[in-house]
Amino acid sequence: MDLELEGKTAIVTGASRGIGKAVARELALSGCDVVICARRPEDLELAARELSQETGRKVVGITADTTSTPDVERMIQEAANVLGRIDILVNNAAAPGGIARGPLASISDDDVLDDLNTKVVGYLRCARAVGPYMTDQGWGRIVNIGGLSARNANGANVSAGIRNAGLVNLTKYLSQQLGPSGVTVNLVHPGATRTERSGPMYEEQARQQGISVEEVEARVAANNATNRIVDASELAYVVAFLASPRSIAISGEVIAAGGGSGQAVYH
Ligand SMILES: NC(=O)c1ccc[n+]([C@@H]2O[C@H](COP(=O)([O-])OP(=O)(O)OC[C@H]3O[C@@H](n4cnc5c(N)ncnc54)[C@H](OP(=O)(O)O)[C@@H]3O)[C@@H](O)[C@H]2O)c1
């Protein structure tokens, strides 16, 4: 299927590495010019250079902290100047798992508020700033990256779940606000996804548990129905489809892309 992404333009937040970078790569390979954003300029520039060389598309890094409204508004304005128009926004910037974790007595309000500010309000800020570009042109796609902790409480990790559950409602709200102007908004929940961070993380877990890296990986893989760890590039296929004109039948929805993780059924 031709996703009809050739010539479209996209902004991907949190794309100097990990899932965001994989999504930016897939969109560029599909024919989009892309602005990627993150806080650290060195990593961002490296990623932009790598992706533009690899894909032959315009891939430009613009630094921004999505916890800051002025930063987001400047980044979106600069992106519009660089790209000429904004067709697609992929909201992804956040620390995976969040920073608020541990026993109840030790949970800090500031950590929880930081997590919500980055992932829930940060996504809202970016959507609000791109909204006028998309509604004026009568077309747009917003894809929010959540996490399967929205559905499965994750032990001591408090804000992972509450922020991802919050994104379900935010996504529906945005789809209703922007839908009449031709903009769809959807949410993709990754499960445990293989990124550049996975190798060192699994090595550390293997060391702590006194088992091999292969055993750690097998345990992670056993948590989903396909018994394999989803790669960031495979998650990016799902996002590219939702970012494309072909996904017009879907809006305000939640798509789990965790290889069939969890026991619950949703209807
Ligand atoms: N990997 C997984 O298994 C997994 C599972 C479920 C959900 N997720 C979700 O998927 C998304 C990406 O995760 P990942 O594993 O790819 O993370 P990652 O490798 O840590 O990458 C995070 C990216 O976001 C940027 N970033 C973080 N905070 C930011 C902010 N306030 N403003 C702008 N950029 C910011 C980082 O760059 P700077 O630090 O330079 O800003 C980096 O580019 C997150 O929303 C995460 O919760 C991931």
Side-chain angles (χ1 to χ4, degrees), residues 81-164:
N81 294 341
V82 165
L83 298 170
R85 52 186 280 139
I86 301 171
D87 295 316
I88 297 159
L89 167 68
V90 180
N91 271 321
N92 166 81
I99 52 175
R101 47 180 90 186
L104 176 60
S106 70
I107 292 293
S108 116
D109 296 1
D110 286 345
D111 286 351
V112 176
L113 291 169
D114 272 3
D115 278 334
L116 291 171
N117 191 20
T118 307
K119 200 157 182 178
V120 181
V121 188
Y123 287 17
L124 171 69
R125 282 186 189 98
C126 293
R128 187 175 57 210
V130 299
Y133 294 96
M134 293 183 176
T135 55
D136 283 357
Q137 70 205 14
W139 197 91
R141 294 282 181 268
I142 299 177
V143 184
N144 294 327
I145 306 299
L148 271 171
S149 56
R151 295 181 178 177
N152 301 296
N154 184 2
N157 197 345
V158 58
S159 48
I162 58 177
R163 63 188 192 168
N164 289 328

Side-chain angles (χ1 to χ4, degrees), residues 15 41 71 75 124 131 146 204 259:
D71 241 28
M75 182 270 290
L124 171 69
E204 177 58 19

Side-chain angles (χ1 to χ4, degrees), residues 14-20 37-40 43 64-67 92-97 118-119 123 145-148 163-164 190-193 195 197:
S16 60
R17 60 176 185 267
I19 289 173
C37 129
R39 290 164 302 184
R40 276 172 289 193
D43 295 353
D65 183 340
T66 58
T67 64
N92 166 81
T118 307
K119 200 157 182 178
Y123 287 17
I145 306 299
L148 271 171
R163 63 188 192 168
N164 289 328
T193 306
T195 69
R197 284 185 308 108

Side-chain angles (χ1 to χ4, degrees), residues 30-263:
S30 303
C32 297
D33 287 338
V34 185
V35 159
I36 60 175
C37 129
R39 290 164 302 184
R40 276 172 289 193
E42 301 80 18
D43 295 353
L44 190 63
E45 274 317 304
L46 270 177
R49 213 171 314 132
E50 179 192 323
L51 292 181
S52 68
Q53 279 168 5
E54 182 186 335
T55 64
R57 301 300 310 195
K58 184 191 278 186
V59 181
V60 176
I62 300 177
T63 51
D65 183 340
T66 58
T67 64
S68 155
T69 300
D71 241 28
V72 165
E73 288 175 351
R74 173 195 47 79
M75 182 270 290
I76 299 292
Q77 173 70 62
E78 285 179 30
N81 294 341
V82 165
L83 298 170
R85 52 186 280 139
I86 301 171
D87 295 316
I88 297 159
L89 167 68
V90 180
N91 271 321
N92 166 81
I99 52 175
R101 47 180 90 186
L104 176 60
S106 70
I107 292 293
S108 116
D109 296 1
D110 286 345
D111 286 351
V112 176
L113 291 169
D114 272 3
D115 278 334
L116 291 171
N117 191 20
T118 307
K119 200 157 182 178
V120 181
V121 188
Y123 287 17
L124 171 69
R125 282 186 189 98
C126 293
R128 187 175 57 210
V130 299
Y133 294 96
M134 293 183 176
T135 55
D136 283 357
Q137 70 205 14
W139 197 91
R141 294 282 181 268
I142 299 177
V143 184
N144 294 327
I145 306 299
L148 271 171
S149 56
R151 295 181 178 177
N152 301 296
N154 184 2
N157 197 345
V158 58
S159 48
I162 58 177
R163 63 188 192 168
N164 289 328
L167 288 176
V168 177
N169 266 50
L170 177 66
T171 298
K172 190 71 175 173
Y173 166 79
L174 293 172
S175 74
Q176 290 167 338
Q177 289 284 311
L178 301 171
S181 303
V183 181
T184 67
V185 188
N186 288 293
L187 175 61
V188 175
H189 282 329
T193 306
R194 193 184 295 282
T195 69
E196 307 91 311
R197 284 185 308 108
S198 306
M201 191 171 73
Y202 295 150
E203 278 166 27
E204 177 58 19
Q205 287 173 8
R207 199 187 54 72
Q208 281 175 6
Q209 295 168 33
I211 58 176
S212 69
V213 172
E214 290 72 25
E215 281 172 291
V216 170
E217 294 200 2
R219 287 180 190 182
V220 175
N223 284 329
N224 73 45
T226 57
N227 276 8
R228 59 183 290 284
I229 301 172
V230 173
D231 191 79
S233 60
E234 297 161 347
L235 195 102
Y237 298 145
V238 180
V239 176
F241 168 71
L242 290 173
S244 79
R246 299 291 200 179
S247 67
I248 182 64
I250 307 172
S251 194
E253 296 294 347
V254 184
I255 312 287
S261 174
Q263 301 297 326

